[in-house]
Amino acid sequence: MSNVHERLRRLLFLVPYVSKHPGVTVEALAKALNISREDLLEELDLLTCVGRPPFNPDDYIDIYVDNDRVYVDLDQRLFAPPRLTAGEAAALAAAAELLRPATGDALQSALTKLENIIPPAARERFRDMYRKIDASADAPPALGPITRAILERLEVTFGYASPGRPAEPRRVRPYELLSHRGQWYLQGFCHTRQDARLFRLDRMEDLAVTTTAFQPPPDARADVPNPARGASEASVRVRFTPTAAPYVKERFGQDARPLADGGVEVRVAGDSERWLTQWVLSFGGEAEVLEPASARAAVARAVHASIGS
């Protein structure tokens, strides 16, 4: 097994090294890898068989020796940065803003890189749309710490203030965060109540992430009431493309109705126009409101406002 690991290490070193030092001699490359010339040529032969599905001729790594010097030609698609439209970039930036409490300066660096890959002619449109779609304005301070606790599977403690009652100490195993009708909620198991509960983040006080680890049960999220999975008389029917379907299925479970094209359809509460439009627009064109007409009109107004038309 150690020989396999060592060979893999050499192969992973070879391609970027030769790409950075085109025309390196066989002797110099063998010395850098601390192997013999014969072993190096054997590794180069193996690399010519490495590619990515569907393994068309131009999908393989073209690494070769010419006049005792080594060269590599990679699939050009590996070099081309993605080119986003202004709308695609704004949707990505708006979704990323939800992570700002947990990422801080790292998010700003990522957003700067995002702007740099937008074609110059579309950058001003992106900046204008990004200023209008600010998903972080209402993000509570607890969002970042709870996100970390969920990822690291650590229990949290906080004081929870119910309407008309003083804050009560709670110790919770956090399972899931969700945003619904402009409010952020935490789903988890409450040790204080010995039951699965739903907590509004804006009612939490003195939140702390503990060092107590836990293992959530397979059906943890299904045990907790989820306001986004319910329906009401004022429900809105929303259709999602196959691209967004996996996320929606995970979020809504059996309430997500599969469609013939691979997409899904769900019903959500429609009593908050502000939440509905922000939620639909966050999918960047992968979601469409089907009915009622008033909800379609609300989303259309938000779209026109975001593009300045």
Side-chain angles (χ1 to χ4, degrees):
M1 184 61 69
S2 60
N3 291 336
V4 172
H5 289 166
E6 179 62 24
R7 190 174 195 189
L8 179 60
R9 185 191 67 81
R10 290 199 299 266
L11 294 173
L12 292 175
F13 170 84
L14 262 171
V15 175
Y17 185 88
V18 176
S19 179
K20 189 175 180 180
H21 303 87
V24 61
T25 65
V26 173
E27 296 300 330
L29 186 55
K31 184 177 180 180
L33 289 168
N34 196 27
I35 59 176
S36 66
R37 176 188 178 92
E38 291 72 21
D39 287 342
L40 172 61
L41 294 177
E42 184 178 345
E43 302 293 35
L44 294 178
D45 285 340
L46 175 61
L47 281 171
T48 60
C49 299
V50 174
R52 67 176 186 175
F55 300 111
N56 294 319
D58 58 346
D59 287 328
Y60 289 96
I61 296 174
D62 187 9
I63 190 164
Y64 57 94
V65 179
D66 186 14
N67 290 328
D68 213 41
R69 293 183 177 273
V70 186
Y71 301 88
V72 61
D73 291 330
L74 297 175
D75 180 355
Q76 294 302 305
R77 286 172 294 182
L78 296 175
F79 291 106
R83 294 298 180 189
L84 304 176
T85 66
E88 291 170 337
L92 181 58
E97 279 289 353
L98 297 176
L99 302 176
R100 185 176 291 279
T103 57
D105 294 339
L107 176 62
Q108 192 56 50
S109 174
L111 291 175
T112 300
K113 293 178 181 178
L114 172 64
E115 183 172 336
N116 289 338
I117 66 172
I118 301 172
R123 286 179 187 168
E124 188 56 40
R125 173 63 64 85
F126 163 73
R127 296 188 189 107
D128 185 55
M129 294 175 69
Y130 179 50
R131 285 192 295 267
K132 293 178 179 178
I133 303 178
D134 185 1
S136 68
D138 299 320
L143 191 62
I146 291 179
T147 299
R148 180 173 70 86
I150 292 174
L151 294 175
E152 298 179 7
R153 295 179 177 177
L154 297 175
E155 293 185 357
V156 296
T157 61
F158 52 85
Y160 193 67
S162 300
R165 298 180 181 179
E168 178 184 12
R170 299 294 183 100
R171 189 177 187 93
V172 175
R173 292 181 176 181
Y175 293 155
E176 180 185 20
L177 277 168
L178 65 141
S179 177
H180 177 65
R181 290 183 289 178
Q183 295 290 347
W184 279 96
Y185 295 84
L186 167 66
Q187 296 185 21
F189 180 83
C190 178
H191 287 288
T192 307
R193 292 287 186 264
Q194 285 296 301
D195 193 11
R197 292 297 174 99
L198 195 67
F199 303 94
R200 275 179 50 166
L201 267 61
D202 63 341
R203 294 179 180 171
M204 295 180 181
E205 300 177 1
D206 302 321
L207 174 72
V209 179
T210 73
T211 57
T212 303
F214 68 93
Q215 184 65 36
D219 57 349
R221 294 190 297 178
D223 288 341
V224 187
N226 187 329
R229 294 176 186 149
S232 67
E233 295 181 357
S235 64
V236 176
R237 190 158 62 99
V238 185
R239 179 173 59 199
F240 295 87
T241 67
T243 301
Y247 167 82
V248 179
K249 289 178 182 177
E250 181 180 358
R251 170 67 68 183
F252 289 87
Q254 295 181 348
D255 293 332
R257 186 173 70 86
L259 301 176
D261 64 352
V264 295
E265 183 181 297
V266 299
R267 284 187 175 272
V268 296
D271 53 348
S272 173
E273 179 180 305
R274 176 175 172 273
W275 170 81
L276 178 69
T277 54
Q278 287 185 344
W279 184 64
V280 171
L281 292 179
S282 71
F283 287 91
E286 304 296 334
E288 177 189 5
V289 174
L290 300 179
E291 61 179 10
S294 59
R296 286 180 59 88
V299 173
R301 287 194 300 270
V303 171
H304 291 316
S306 69
I307 61 177
S309 61

